[in-house]
């Protein structure tokens, strides 16, 4: 059995570092350019695998050079890619600007990801044998819904990251077990800026919610419990690009292992704190021994 299946995107991240992001119509001079394997789906798969999960990836790469690198990156982190399709044409790309404060702005070009608008029989078989299915919104919505409905039919827990942020159709919410937005996505989904109040509103749509709050930690809400806040370690961020994906991947591993939710969130926050101290997306993600040790070399007081 594969513990965690990820149905999601694979992108090559084209990353430029600048002192500050340009304003509209402005040109600024960057100091570094790198290509880094990424995509929210692939990032979550790598994060979960490095955190100790047994992980398989469903998605698509292109026939370009990026596609080969993306597949190899997943396999290097022990992610099963047997059902990662190869689609004629370019792979997905993400164009990322990272500023000196560690913030980022991203433009995604779907490429091969746009072909994942349905499941194959093999996809459903793999999903049905899993403990959890991770989903995001960088694939066509029809493919995301098909995956979530397949998981629901087989009693497999669905974990949805609603990013890039957009309104969610009722048929997807109906088969979502755990929704994990950040505070901005939660506000967009509910029209409520206050995260605890947004979490309460989201519980009318899904049974369980974790909202990530960046350096302020995360909150958990479920229909049969109150709201629990879990703080995050304080560290000096270098690049926050994959922090949310690192959190979700590690969180799902911990939940599949049966850990209490607050403990799982704290462990996932340590993983995310480690990731933001390093540049890149998948390249920044910590391995399980690092998370267990909680080695936060860039930690700050207070």
């Amino acid at each position: 059995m594969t513990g965690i299946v990820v149905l999601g995107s694979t992108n090559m991240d084209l990353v430029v570092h600048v002192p500050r992001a340009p304003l509209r119509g402005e040109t600024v001079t960057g100091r570094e350019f790198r290509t880094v394997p990424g995509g929210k789906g692939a990032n979550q798969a790598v994060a979960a695998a490095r955190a100790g999960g047994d992980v398989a990836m469903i998605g698509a790469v292109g026939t370009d050079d990026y596609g080969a690198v993306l597949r190899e990156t997943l396999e290097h982190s022990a992610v099963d890619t047997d059902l990662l399709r190869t689609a004629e044409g370019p792979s997905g790309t993400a164009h990322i600007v990272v500023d000196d404060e560690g913030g980022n702005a991203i433009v995604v070009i779907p490429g091969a990801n746009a072909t994942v608008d349905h499941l194959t029989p093999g996809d459903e078989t793999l999903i049905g044998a899993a403990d959890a299915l991770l989903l995001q919104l960088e694939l066509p919505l029809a493919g995301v819904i098909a995956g979530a409905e397949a998981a629901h039919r087989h009693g497999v827990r669905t974990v949805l990251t609603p990013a890039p942020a957009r309104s969610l159709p009722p048929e997807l919410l109906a088969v979502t077990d755990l929704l994990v937005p950040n505070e901005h996505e939660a506000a967009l989904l509910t029209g409520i800026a206050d995260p605890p109040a947004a979490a309460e509103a989201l519980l009318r749509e899904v049974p369980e919610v974790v909202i990530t709050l960046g350096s302020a930690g995360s909150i958990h809400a479920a229909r049969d419990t109150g709201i629990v806040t879990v703080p995050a370690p304080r560290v000096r961020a270098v690049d926050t690009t994959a922090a949310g994906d690192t959190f979700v991947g590690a969180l799902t591993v911990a939940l599949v292992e049966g850990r209490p939710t607050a403990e799982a969130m704290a462990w996932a926050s340590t993983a995310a704190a480690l990731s933001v101290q390093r540049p890149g997306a998948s390249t920044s993600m910590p391995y399980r021994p690092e998370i267990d040790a909680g080695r936060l070399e860039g930690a700050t007081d207070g």
Side-chain angles (χ1 to χ4, degrees):
M1 173 183 288
T2 297
I4 299 170
V5 173
V6 180
L7 173 62
S9 58
T10 58
N11 293 321
M12 183 60 74
D13 293 346
L14 311 177
V15 186
V16 60
H17 289 262
V18 294
R20 62 174 180 81
L23 301 174
R24 184 176 183 180
E26 181 185 20
T27 299
V28 300
T29 299
R31 64 175 178 277
E32 181 185 1
F33 171 77
R34 293 177 296 113
T35 57
V36 182
K40 293 195 71 64
N43 287 346
Q44 291 185 3
V46 169
R50 291 188 177 185
D54 181 11
V55 182
M57 179 83 192
I58 300 173
V61 297
T63 50
D64 54 3
D65 291 342
Y66 288 160
V69 174
L70 290 167
R71 186 180 295 274
E72 290 168 4
T73 299
L74 289 162
E75 293 171 350
H76 181 71
S77 291
V79 176
D80 182 338
T81 62
D82 286 352
L83 293 180
L84 181 64
R85 311 170 195 174
T86 299
E88 188 67 32
S91 299
T93 53
H95 305 254
I96 303 173
V97 175
V98 180
D99 63 34
D100 279 351
E101 295 182 356
N104 63 78
I106 305 173
V107 175
V108 174
I109 309 298
N113 297 301
T115 68
V116 189
D117 56 1
H118 64 282
L119 297 184
T120 69
D123 294 339
E124 176 150 359
T125 299
L126 183 65
I127 292 169
D131 294 309
L133 174 68
L134 292 186
L135 301 157
Q136 320 79 34
L137 298 178
E138 287 185 343
L139 296 181
L141 194 56
V144 176
I145 293 171
E149 290 177 340
H152 186 70
R153 283 193 294 273
H154 293 278
V156 175
R157 186 178 198 178
T158 53
V159 181
L160 173 63
T161 302
R166 54 161 295 167
S167 59
L168 301 177
E171 59 266 38
L172 179 56
L173 290 167
V175 288
T176 296
D177 297 311
L178 172 60
L179 188 68
V180 191
N182 63 29
E183 57 189 312
H184 308 295
E185 292 153 0
L188 185 146
L189 290 171
T190 62
I192 300 171
D194 178 61
E200 293 282 4
L202 289 169
L203 290 181
R204 293 195 287 269
E205 308 291 343
V206 297
E208 191 174 10
V209 178
V210 170
I211 299 178
T212 59
L213 309 173
S215 61
S218 55
I219 63 173
H220 172 258
R223 290 172 178 170
D224 56 351
T225 64
I227 292 178
V228 175
T229 301
V230 176
R234 293 180 61 85
V235 299
R236 296 182 182 90
V238 171
D239 183 352
T240 61
T241 302
D245 295 329
T246 301
F247 179 91
V248 173
L251 174 70
T252 305
V253 169
L255 293 175
V256 164
E257 291 176 352
R259 301 195 206 182
T261 302
E263 178 186 325
M265 291 164 63
W267 194 72
S269 291
T270 297
L274 286 162
S275 77
V276 302
Q277 297 175 78
R278 306 163 181 170
S282 60
T283 53
S284 73
M285 294 171 172
Y287 288 87
R288 188 179 187 112
E290 298 175 275
I291 307 171
D292 287 340
R295 293 202 300 268
L296 300 173
E297 292 88 349
T300 62
D301 295 329

